[in-house]
Amino acid sequence: MRAVLPGQPQAKLQAVCTARSEGRRLVSYISGNALVILGGPHDLLQTIYHDGDCDLDAVAIDETTGKIATSSRNVVYLYSLNGRDEGVPKWSLQHTLTLEDEKRAAYTLSWGALEELLVGSSSLRLFETIGHEALIIWEEKISTPAKFARFSNDATLIASTGAYDRLVKVWRRLSFGSDDVRFDFTYLPHPTTVTGVHWRRPHHRGQMMDNVLYTICADNKVRIWAATDPQGLQVLQQWGEIDMLETIQPRNLQPEAQSRDRYAFIIDSRDFSYAAERAVEGTKQGQKEHHALAHLIEVANRSPEVCVVLDSRGHMSAWGLENVGCKVRETKNIFNIAHVDNFRFLFPTPGWMNGDHVRFLIFCDQQPTSVFTLLVHHFDGSIEWLEGRVDNVFDPSPREDRLISRALWTGHDGPIKKIVRNMSGKALISRTNDNEGLIWKQEVGARGMTLTRSSTLKATKHIHRTCLLEEGDFVVNLHHRSITLWDARSSFAVELSSCSYNLVEKPLCLLLLPEPTSATRLVHLAAITPKMKGLVWEIRLPPKGPRATTSEKLNQPALMQYCAFDLKVNADLAFMLPVDPAGSPAVISGFLDTFAKDIAISYTNDGVIRAWTAKIDLGKSTVDWLETSMIETGITRPSLASGTSIRKFAVVDAARNGLTIWDSSSAQLEYEAQYRSQEVIQDLDWSSTPDDQSILAVGFPHKVIILSQMRYDYLNAGPAWAPVREIHIGQSTPHPIGDSVWLASGNLVVGAGNQLFVYDKEVNLTDDMTKAFTAPIHGHASKDIFEVAMLLNGPLPVFHPQFLAQCILAGKLAQVQKIIIGLHKALKFFVDGDRLDSFANLPLIEFFHEQPDISMAAGKKERSSYNDFSDDDEPETVTEALAAALNESLAKTAVPQLTGQEQIHLAGMIECVATAEKHRRSMDDNAMRYLLFFRQYLLRKGHVPESPVGITWREIAWAYHSNSQDILVDLVSKQFQGKMLWEHARESGMFMWMTDISALRMQFENIARNEYTKTDEKDPIDCSLYYLALKKKNVLLGLWRMAAWNREQSATQKLLSNDFRDPRWKTAALKNAYALMGKRRFEYAAAFFLLAGKLRDAVNVCAHQMQDLQLAIAVARVYEGDDASVLRELLEDRVLPQAALAGNRWLATWAFWMLGRRDIAVRVLISPVYTLLESPETPTMQAKSYLANDPALVVLYKQLRDRTLQTLKGASEISPRAEWEFITQNARLYDRMGCDLLALDLVRNWEFLNQPSEPQKAADEPPDPRKMLRRRSSLVVDDLPSPKSPKEMKSGFGKPPTRVFEEPDANSLLDNFGF
């Protein structure tokens, strides 16, 4: 935690106390109805809130037991200390004491011996608090309510006085014990009102020392009272006095340097001695002892008490009191220690009711780590913690570093309701329910970032919305019927102007509109109602600089209504709110377009979110609005939403447990989380790094989870957001969080109760939350949250496995080889601490200029031994030997830019590239892509057992469009040692991508054979489905004849011997199938459906009951071929709707290609799947996920669009704008993945198809799609279907035609070049 602002201390005489208990310094103070307990400047131990609206009046700590007593009116609460052994001190309520028949509040509390508590009000009462009950053991009525009532250190004396009393009553205890407690008393007369009392404290609790009382009087004198005459009638006699007016005589006689205000405090001998020891210990060895320290040592050797006198002009005088209490006082017993002229204090601001009151508490403990500390309780509502060396404090020479401010405790005295920041994030206002606001400003000093209270605003009307202007110098409050402008440049904000308004409905928000220029002092604000109507106000701000006088009048109205507007959006609007400012400041261009930054978001009850921007037209006195984006989230009645100006939205569902994060620029879902039912989301706050990486704080009642944006990871389907920090406030306060907000510096400010917690921006990289993805980053245990967000985003090094994988998908295998070879060279001589070039020492031009094809076609070039000769020993390609050597280096070396898991993935990638390189000359690019990722899947399967089963439809699509399938089948079979079972075939997707039906059936028979022999028993049941799909019943019958061990042999063999073309045996097979369904033996049931000739039923069992879509497709293809009606039904009724629901474009393009609709197979690569189906279902969240927009789709689109006339036709139906948006969106996706070089390559080298320029032909003569080609292709397949029958046209899918090759028309191509 950077700092804590625990709340505004009460302006009361006993609002603060401190004691050393259980070896720990404790400070406690009261704020409103809260008891605040701290262990240091920023160490908030506990906050205890009390029921009711009554404020607390006093607090006291018992040094011996650590008990804390606090009072509210006539009730005293006693808290006992627990958790000493665990090292986490906590206080719990032990007793509640109600002062019977007491109308006055208990303003003074004091702990005595043996856990006795003195309570002063209109009577003095002494309680014994040992045990389960607190007993009153003495009570005495007093003439005036007690202002002070303090026990002496040995608890034998009590000093008490009433408000405005000039007599101090000293009570002497005559007996100890709860049975008979008696006191007598005497008076200490003073000429006027006594304003302060202080008992001398010994070095330790058990030390025997004469009691000495110091009193401060309104006549500006400090009097010292001691028992100089034990035989006298008075318990204490006056030993001496210090005239505070005479002790400070400024050298400067100017009136402004003079002040009659005096403040005094006593430094006890024990604290002064310890402080002197710390000063001596703090002197560096060999350093020459300066005069101030030598003087201090001389003074400390006399063991004096020290009286320090101050005035409000920075003058200080310190006086030593030696041998206090001696029978014969000499003149030298009171001596001057120092006089300082530039002792600067932050004294109370003029204007506060109790502004001239200050109370001091001083301590320096015996522990070596303790320092001289001064707590200054300003009655304007703050406590300052000052530390320093006592020799610097009393050094008479001019210096600025006498005391260093470690903390300033202040805040509200009521629960914080709302926190609003300004646009820059350097100022904020916190607001309570009673319309009080505190303006805070972020300052950077020697102690780092601090949050300083700059002004207080107290409004008489209910504040509905608030907006900060000019770095917090001005505040605009929107009330129910008016709007007001406040000047907050002084300690108290002053209302400058007010303007009433009349809107039918209650305004939803107050928006700060972008200004055309910042040169003027004009500001425009807008308020919008649920009907999307609103008003704009113009504010003319006063000149910059401090406010001259509170009565300063402006020359013209500062606040006036500018215009009204109507957005004319018919929507069930739930809310509209300003976006959280993030990223670089908004720049207003001359146009109102979608490139402008958003200023507000609106969301409806049916889950539609819109982003808005606006522009002021000063010439027409109007405001223009533009809807920049819209997302249909599908979340009904969202309870909360928040947006950022860099196009990120967060939405919370109606139950307040579900969170989704959206990218509005592409309308895609990036993150979805469901929290426990008791974890209610109540706040969302956005921030961003300087390079526009987003950070989201999700607020719950007692904790805040901070989420950081991460790179997109399509290969592993990794999350796009991750929690990096969790902040719990339950240890510090029981009050739920009211609101939270980000500062520009990256600090999070959390308001809970009347307290503000300012959390630093450090993220622990070693805890379980962040270890998985940040642990080895440069060996740091913690990092700035901005740095963490930038490391989790931003460009990847070219040797990162994700970058290499995307290069392979983009067909840049040559660059991949160079990167791996460059990394191998770099790691040869790499040692820890060296810098590793993120580009593997390759020129950038390598990554975005067109490369010659290195696939099978390019590999036909003969290589002689002379061509292979090189002076360099390094190979030109990634061989298996190089891969083994590089992976050995990776096993020994920690690469700075990679995590441990990423290094493991990189090693697997290198091994896959070497394996693919070995077969490069016999494969095309698509086969290479498939083989690389299939090998990588197998490697990950071995390292990560819980990884997803099977390759994705992306890899299946590559293999499906490969012309090297026979080699792929052979390589995949070898991976399983020639013993491929169906589970292996499903993992490889083989029966989805094989296009040769004869080869497909041959492999299916191999599967059947391997399924039969996979166990020692060789059970025919295991292979029944496969042999019956192949229509090889006789083979299955022969296997049953050998299964004598199987109890089902006889019945099954007898059944299979029949002719199943006979309806009787078909019925028997069906009965067996249904019986097996009842026994949940689904695979065997599907086999009997095939035996009965019911392919559709068998396929349905595989797809629905077995949940094995690949098996259903494979059985249909093997049984009837690719033209089977059952296969078409399966693809149309199950596969395509499933692809639409999941947003899986890879599955959809494969299915459309199988159906012969190659035009739609191309279009679906660009358009969402559900938009191309005849009866689209409502897409799920998964369909809207960013994972549905894989950038590798653009590679397949480029490959397929000009392959056949049908694909060209499909490409022609895509508008140029849609294709342009597809390319720019994929460039953004590459950028989010950290592959910026591939994004540059895409936009630099992409070729758009030509749009037909000739007039449209007749409706029955479609345009020739070949005219869209920009360059001459080798072959274009003419696969345009013949006209469909009415039935086929109604179904939407026609039978695929025969494939015919046709050379493109040369004239149409030459036309494109102007010939």
Side-chain angles (χ1 to χ4, degrees):
M1 191 185 297
R2 161 66 64 181
V4 58
L5 299 164
Q8 177 180 310
Q10 301 287 75
K12 296 176 181 178
L13 291 171
Q14 207 175 333
V16 190
C17 64
T18 180
R20 183 165 187 85
S21 179
E22 300 290 331
R24 182 170 195 154
R25 173 57 59 177
L26 301 175
V27 179
S28 182
Y29 76 89
I30 53 177
S31 173
N33 66 343
L35 172 65
V36 183
I37 308 167
L38 301 107
H42 308 296
D43 183 14
L44 179 62
L45 300 177
Q46 192 175 353
T47 305
I48 302 172
Y49 288 89
H50 297 79
D51 296 334
D53 299 329
C54 299
D55 292 343
L56 299 178
D57 298 311
V59 63
I61 302 176
D62 183 10
E63 283 196 357
T64 306
T65 63
K67 287 185 176 182
I68 298 178
T70 185
S71 62
S72 175
R73 294 190 178 178
N74 66 331
V75 180
V76 179
Y77 304 94
L78 299 183
Y79 294 92
S80 58
L81 175 60
N82 306 308
R84 299 182 183 91
D85 299 334
E86 294 82 5
V88 184
K90 292 295 173 186
W91 284 261
S92 59
L93 184 65
Q94 182 188 19
H95 298 298
T96 301
L97 311 177
T98 302
L99 308 181
E100 301 295 341
D101 302 325
E102 181 62 73
K103 297 181 180 179
R104 297 282 183 175
Y107 282 118
T108 178
L109 303 170
S110 181
W111 288 97
L114 304 174
E115 301 183 34
E116 293 176 348
L117 178 66
L118 179 66
V119 180
S121 55
S122 59
S123 300
L124 293 182
R125 294 176 176 88
L126 187 61
F127 291 89
E128 186 182 71
T129 64
I130 299 176
H132 298 292
E133 292 186 12
L135 304 174
I136 184 167
I137 58 176
W138 176 73
E139 182 177 4
E140 188 70 31
K141 193 78 174 175
I142 52 179
S143 58
T144 56
K147 177 180 179 181
F148 300 108
R150 305 283 170 78
F151 262 120
S152 63
N153 182 70
D154 59 4
T156 60
L157 301 176
I158 297 173
S160 70
T161 183
Y164 310 109
D165 276 359
R166 69 176 190 85
L167 298 176
V168 176
K169 188 178 290 187
V170 178
W171 305 78
R172 179 172 56 185
R173 189 164 187 168
L174 302 177
S175 64
F176 283 85
S178 58
D179 296 336
D180 183 21
V181 177
R182 289 178 293 132
F183 287 85
D184 64 3
F185 62 88
T186 58
Y187 289 104
L188 304 181
H190 292 72
T192 183
T193 305
V194 176
T195 59
V197 298
H198 174 81
W199 287 103
R200 179 169 69 176
R201 292 175 295 179
H203 281 253
H204 54 84
R205 189 80 177 176
Q207 182 184 1
M208 297 301 295
M209 179 183 283
D210 292 338
N211 289 315
V212 175
L213 179 67
Y214 300 90
T215 60
I216 304 173
C217 190
D219 63 352
N220 279 326
K221 287 186 179 180
V222 177
R223 291 174 175 83
I224 305 101
W225 306 84
T228 56
D229 182 8
Q231 307 302 324
L233 296 176
Q234 298 286 345
V235 178
L236 300 175
Q237 294 81 34
Q238 183 171 339
W239 180 84
E241 68 178 24
I242 298 174
D243 189 331
M244 293 190 287
L245 287 175
E246 295 297 326
T247 55
I248 296 180
Q249 297 294 334
R251 298 181 179 89
N252 189 345
L253 300 179
Q254 296 296 325
E256 61 270 12
Q258 304 290 324
S259 172
R260 293 188 61 83
D261 295 333
R262 293 293 185 268
Y263 308 89
F265 58 87
I266 305 296
I267 304 176
D268 290 303
S269 176
R270 68 171 189 180
D271 295 322
F272 187 71
S273 300
Y274 294 148
E277 290 176 16
R278 299 293 95 77
V280 174
E281 293 167 0
T283 304
K284 296 179 182 177
Q285 190 173 6
Q287 181 179 347
K288 186 178 179 180
E289 191 177 275
H290 56 83
H291 171 73
L293 182 59
H295 175 60
L296 177 72
I297 295 171
E298 180 185 346
V299 172
N301 287 334
R302 300 171 67 174
S303 300
E305 320 286 329
V306 179
C307 177
V308 179
V309 182
L310 304 163
D311 72 359
S312 57
R313 297 293 187 268
H315 303 107
M316 181 194 78
S317 180
W319 295 82
L321 309 174
E322 186 180 13
N323 298 325
V324 179
C326 60
K327 303 295 186 292
V328 180
R329 185 175 70 81
E330 301 177 6
T331 307
K332 64 182 180 181
N333 291 145
I334 299 179
F335 59 94
N336 182 256
I337 296 176
H339 187 89
V340 176
D341 285 338
N342 58 344
F343 195 84
R344 296 297 176 190
F345 262 119
L346 179 64
F347 277 102
T349 307
W352 286 85
M353 183 176 64
N354 298 308
D356 55 346
H357 290 305
V358 179
R359 183 164 171 253
F360 301 92
L361 292 89
I362 302 92
F363 60 85
C364 183
D365 298 322
Q366 191 173 1
Q367 282 64 29
T369 56
S370 180
V371 294
F372 178 74
T373 305
L374 182 63
L375 291 180
V376 187
H377 176 202
H378 303 286
F379 277 45
D380 67 347
S382 64
I383 300 172
E384 190 171 16
W385 181 300
L386 300 163
E387 289 180 357
R389 284 176 42 163
V390 72
D391 56 326
N392 294 339
V393 173
F394 297 135
D395 186 354
S397 59
R399 61 189 308 154
E400 297 293 332
D401 59 344
R402 298 183 189 278
L403 289 171
I404 299 172
S405 178
R406 294 295 182 197
L408 185 67
W409 298 332
T410 184
H412 293 275
D413 58 1
I416 294 171
K417 176 184 178 183
K418 185 69 178 174
I419 307 176
V420 179
R421 59 170 265 181
N422 72 329
M423 289 293 291
S424 68
K426 295 180 180 178
L428 59 90
I429 180 171
S430 52
R431 219 172 63 224
T432 61
N433 285 320
D434 56 359
N435 300 316
E436 179 191 67
L438 294 182
I439 295 94
W440 307 84
K441 292 189 177 180
Q442 175 185 317
E443 296 180 357
V444 180
R447 293 189 290 120
M449 197 289 298
T450 57
L451 200 61
T452 305
R453 186 182 70 185
S454 67
S455 186
T456 302
L457 184 150
K458 293 188 177 181
T460 56
K461 302 176 185 176
H462 172 73
I463 299 175
H464 183 50
R465 293 288 182 267
T466 299
C467 182
L468 284 180
L469 307 175
E470 292 282 318
E471 304 298 331
D473 288 343
F474 299 94
V475 182
V476 177
N477 288 327
L478 182 68
H479 310 285
H480 287 312
R481 290 297 173 189
S482 63
I483 184 170
T484 55
L485 172 66
W486 297 72
D487 189 335
R489 290 176 290 180
S490 59
S491 300
F492 288 91
V494 177
E495 184 178 330
L496 292 181
S497 183
S498 177
C499 179
S500 60
Y501 66 87
N502 185 20
L503 286 171
V504 177
E505 295 179 298
K506 182 178 175 182
L508 294 176
C509 61
L510 185 63
L511 302 176
L512 180 63
L513 302 181
E515 296 298 328
T517 174
S518 59
T520 65
R521 302 287 290 163
L522 287 180
V523 174
H524 293 86
L525 292 157
I528 301 177
T529 68
K531 297 295 184 183
M532 301 300 277
K533 298 179 181 180
L535 299 173
V536 176
W537 292 276
E538 182 178 86
I539 299 174
R540 194 174 300 275
L541 295 175
K544 289 186 177 181
R547 186 160 53 91
T549 62
T550 55
S551 59
E552 178 181 2
K553 300 295 182 182
L554 299 176
N555 296 328
Q556 51 189 324
L559 176 62
M560 58 183 290
Q561 186 170 316
Y562 184 73
C563 68
F565 61 88
D566 185 354
L567 294 181
K568 296 181 180 178
V569 176
N570 295 322
D572 185 13
L573 192 65
F575 219 82
M576 189 166 188
L577 66 161
V579 299
D580 288 339
S584 53
V587 177
I588 305 303
S589 63
F591 304 96
L592 185 65
D593 51 32
T594 56
F595 294 102
K597 284 204 170 187
D598 299 338
I599 64 167
I601 66 166
S602 63
Y603 57 96
T604 62
N605 287 315
D606 55 357
V608 177
I609 298 183
R610 293 179 172 87
W612 302 87
T613 189
K615 181 186 174 187
I616 290 291
D617 190 333
L618 296 176
K620 298 179 181 178
S621 295
T622 58
V623 59
D624 298 321
W625 292 87
L626 176 68
E627 178 186 313
T628 57
S629 61
M630 184 189 76
I631 301 176
E632 295 182 2
T633 65
I635 302 171
T636 56
R637 305 194 68 83
S639 58
L640 198 63
S642 180
T644 172
S645 55
I646 51 177
R647 306 288 167 87
K648 300 289 182 189
F649 293 162
V651 184
V652 179
D653 62 14
R656 286 184 172 261
N657 306 122
L659 171 70
T660 53
I661 300 177
W662 303 78
D663 183 346
S664 64
S665 59
S666 53
Q668 62 189 15
L669 175 67
E670 293 191 335
Y671 182 74
E672 185 176 10
Q674 193 70 33
Y675 298 99
R676 294 176 298 177
S677 57
Q678 62 268 32
E679 294 182 320
V680 177
I681 302 172
Q682 58 183 29
D683 192 25
L684 299 168
D685 293 289
W686 287 98
S687 181
S688 71
T689 65
D691 61 342
D692 289 359
Q693 312 296 345
S694 296
I695 301 168
L696 176 65
V698 184
F700 298 88
H702 296 283
K703 69 176 181 180
V704 179
I705 295 177
I706 298 177
L707 301 170
S708 172
Q709 174 182 301
M710 295 180 69
R711 296 184 191 93
Y712 285 168
D713 183 0
Y714 288 94
L715 301 179
N716 303 312
W721 290 77
V724 295
R725 188 177 181 187
E726 196 165 309
I727 295 171
H728 292 268
I729 68 164
Q731 296 292 330
S732 302
T733 175
H735 206 288
I737 295 173
D739 200 6
S740 59
V741 75
W742 288 98
L743 294 176
S745 58
N747 299 94
L748 182 68
V749 179
V750 178
N754 54 359
Q755 300 173 332
L756 287 174
F757 301 90
V758 184
Y759 289 92
D760 56 32
K761 51 186 179 180
E762 294 299 311
V763 173
N764 183 6
L765 301 181
T766 60
D767 64 15
D768 295 337
M769 184 177 290
T770 58
K771 195 188 303 181
F773 48 84
T774 61
I777 295 178
H778 307 299
H780 290 280
S782 64
K783 263 193 176 294
D784 183 331
I785 191 170
F786 285 171
E787 294 177 343
V788 171
M790 291 165 71
L791 287 167
L792 295 177
N793 296 276
L796 290 168
V798 296
F799 46 80
H800 192 282
Q802 172 151 291
F803 187 87
L804 292 176
Q806 292 300 325
C807 280
I808 292 167
L809 289 173
K812 296 183 177 296
L813 200 57
Q815 286 90 335
V816 172
Q817 305 249 8
K818 291 178 182 178
I819 291 167
I820 294 174
I821 293 170
L823 180 63
H824 178 54
K825 293 178 181 178
L827 289 182
K828 269 188 174 181
F829 308 104
F830 179 82
V831 294
D832 287 343
D834 285 359
R835 178 183 174 274
L836 196 62
D837 182 38
S838 294
F839 299 103
N841 297 313
L842 295 176
L844 290 184
I845 193 68
E846 286 279 352
F847 297 97
F848 50 81
H849 79 283
E850 299 245 31
Q851 294 283 333
D853 189 13
I854 65 162
S855 64
M856 182 172 59
K860 294 178 181 178
K861 179 182 175 182
E862 293 288 338
R863 281 192 175 188
S864 68
S865 57
Y866 297 104
N867 291 333
D868 290 339
F869 179 76
S870 173
D871 292 335
D872 192 354
D873 293 336
E874 297 294 341
E876 294 180 4
T877 59
V878 180
T879 63
E880 291 184 332
L882 184 144
L886 179 52
N887 285 347
E888 186 178 348
S889 299
L890 288 172
K892 298 175 182 177
T893 308
V895 178
Q897 293 99 319
L898 302 179
T899 66
Q901 196 65 35
E902 288 166 351
Q903 268 189 238
I904 294 173
H905 291 168
L906 175 60
M909 180 75 70
I910 293 167
E911 184 181 332
C912 294
V913 171
T915 304
E917 174 63 21
K918 188 167 65 173
H919 303 282
R920 177 168 61 88
R921 298 188 184 186
S922 54
M923 287 188 193
D924 60 9
D925 278 353
N926 287 338
M928 291 279 283
R929 292 183 178 104
Y930 173 85
L931 182 61
L932 276 163
F933 290 103
F934 178 63
R935 283 281 300 157
Q936 192 176 9
Y937 161 74
L938 293 177
L939 288 171
R940 290 198 184 186
K941 182 183 173 185
H943 288 105
V944 187
E946 65 271 11
S947 59
V949 177
I951 60 172
T952 66
W953 284 95
R954 175 180 52 237
E955 283 71 54
I956 291 173
W958 296 127
Y960 182 68
H961 292 289
S962 169
N963 294 321
S964 312
Q965 291 183 355
D966 50 347
I967 300 168
L968 282 183
V969 170
D970 184 49
L971 289 173
V972 170
S973 299
K974 286 180 179 178
Q975 291 294 330
F976 302 107
Q977 294 78 42
K979 297 289 185 182
M980 183 185 290
L981 303 174
W982 171 251
E983 62 178 297
H984 303 140
R986 183 172 56 230
E987 288 181 5
S988 67
M990 176 183 292
F991 291 93
M992 303 300 101
W993 50 257
M994 289 181 68
T995 54
D996 186 339
I997 291 296
S998 299
L1000 182 83
R1001 289 174 174 147
M1002 189 183 303
Q1003 285 302 318
F1004 206 70
E1005 189 167 359
N1006 288 337
I1007 297 290
R1009 192 179 304 115
N1010 293 332
E1011 287 285 346
Y1012 174 68
T1013 59
K1014 69 180 179 181
T1015 60
D1016 294 338
E1017 291 87 358
K1018 297 182 180 178
D1019 192 346
I1021 295 176
D1022 294 337
C1023 61
S1024 296
L1025 176 63
Y1026 306 97
Y1027 276 120
L1028 291 175
L1030 289 162
K1031 301 180 181 178
K1032 294 190 176 184
K1033 185 194 72 170
N1034 292 333
V1035 175
L1036 182 62
L1037 180 60
L1039 297 178
W1040 272 108
R1041 287 181 183 139
M1042 293 185 286
W1045 57 271
N1046 195 317
R1047 65 181 182 178
E1048 298 178 6
Q1049 183 202 26
S1050 176
T1052 308
Q1053 186 178 339
K1054 183 178 178 182
L1055 179 65
L1056 290 176
S1057 301
N1058 297 297
D1059 184 0
F1060 285 89
R1061 288 172 295 183
D1062 188 336
R1064 173 193 170 191
W1065 297 113
K1066 280 188 178 184
T1067 304
L1070 285 174
K1071 287 181 179 178
N1072 278 280
Y1074 288 121
L1076 290 167
M1077 290 279 289
K1079 296 178 180 179
R1080 303 190 66 80
R1081 297 174 65 182
F1082 297 125
E1083 183 179 328
Y1084 204 23
F1088 273 91
F1089 278 124
L1090 290 178
L1091 192 62
K1094 299 292 185 180
L1095 174 62
R1096 181 176 286 101
D1097 294 332
V1099 166
N1100 286 336
V1101 169
C1102 294
H1104 294 92
Q1105 277 73 28
M1106 296 178 66
Q1107 291 294 306
D1108 194 338
L1109 185 61
Q1110 285 198 36
L1111 181 60
I1113 295 171
V1115 167
R1117 295 185 72 191
V1118 169
Y1119 195 85
E1120 283 190 354
D1122 285 350
D1123 296 331
S1125 60
V1126 172
L1127 177 62
R1128 293 181 62 82
E1129 285 179 17
L1130 180 64
L1131 294 175
E1132 293 174 8
D1133 299 340
R1134 182 171 176 86
V1135 175
L1136 285 174
Q1138 178 179 321
L1141 286 173
N1144 192 335
R1145 298 185 190 179
W1146 297 101
L1147 174 58
T1149 187
W1150 173 86
F1152 279 123
W1153 199 280
M1154 285 284 292
L1155 288 166
R1157 293 304 308 267
R1158 298 179 180 180
D1159 53 340
I1160 304 181
V1162 171
R1163 289 171 58 196
V1164 81
L1165 294 173
I1166 288 183
S1167 305
V1169 184
Y1170 62 86
T1171 61
L1172 299 177
L1173 297 184
E1174 289 186 347
S1175 55
E1177 298 186 36
T1178 304
T1180 61
M1181 285 287 188
Q1182 188 179 358
K1184 299 174 182 179
S1185 170
Y1186 78 95
L1187 292 171
N1189 299 316
D1190 191 336
L1193 290 165
V1194 76
V1195 181
L1196 185 62
Y1197 170 73
K1198 184 177 182 180
Q1199 187 182 120
L1200 296 183
R1201 68 176 181 180
D1202 54 1
R1203 178 178 287 189
T1204 72
L1205 289 182
Q1206 201 178 153
T1207 59
L1208 269 174
K1209 177 178 177 291
S1212 68
E1213 295 175 7
I1214 300 169
S1215 67
R1217 180 173 182 81
E1219 185 175 355
W1220 181 84
E1221 289 177 347
F1222 177 61
I1223 299 306
T1224 54
Q1225 181 187 11
N1226 278 280
R1228 283 196 299 269
L1229 295 178
Y1230 274 133
D1231 183 59
R1232 272 299 304 272
M1233 294 173 70
C1235 304
D1236 302 62
L1237 292 172
L1238 295 181
L1240 178 60
D1241 171 67
L1242 178 64
V1243 297
R1244 189 175 188 268
N1245 297 318
W1246 183 261
E1247 287 187 354
F1248 291 92
L1249 291 175
N1250 274 339
Q1251 294 303 309
S1253 55
E1254 71 270 11
Q1256 185 68 30
K1257 299 180 181 179
D1260 57 347
E1261 190 177 351
D1264 187 352
R1266 291 171 295 181
K1267 296 184 181 297
M1268 301 179 67
L1269 294 172
R1270 286 186 178 271
R1271 61 179 72 180
R1272 179 187 295 271
S1273 297
S1274 56
L1275 288 173
V1276 176
V1277 179
D1278 184 0
D1279 58 351
L1280 288 174
S1282 56
K1284 298 180 186 179
S1285 66
K1287 182 179 179 181
E1288 287 176 329
M1289 293 182 70
K1290 185 177 181 181
S1291 66
F1293 299 107
K1295 181 178 177 180
T1298 56
R1299 302 177 179 179
V1300 180
F1301 294 90
E1302 181 178 319
E1303 186 74 22
D1305 184 359
N1307 292 329
S1308 66
L1309 293 174
L1310 293 174
D1311 285 343
N1312 294 325
F1313 295 93
F1315 296 107

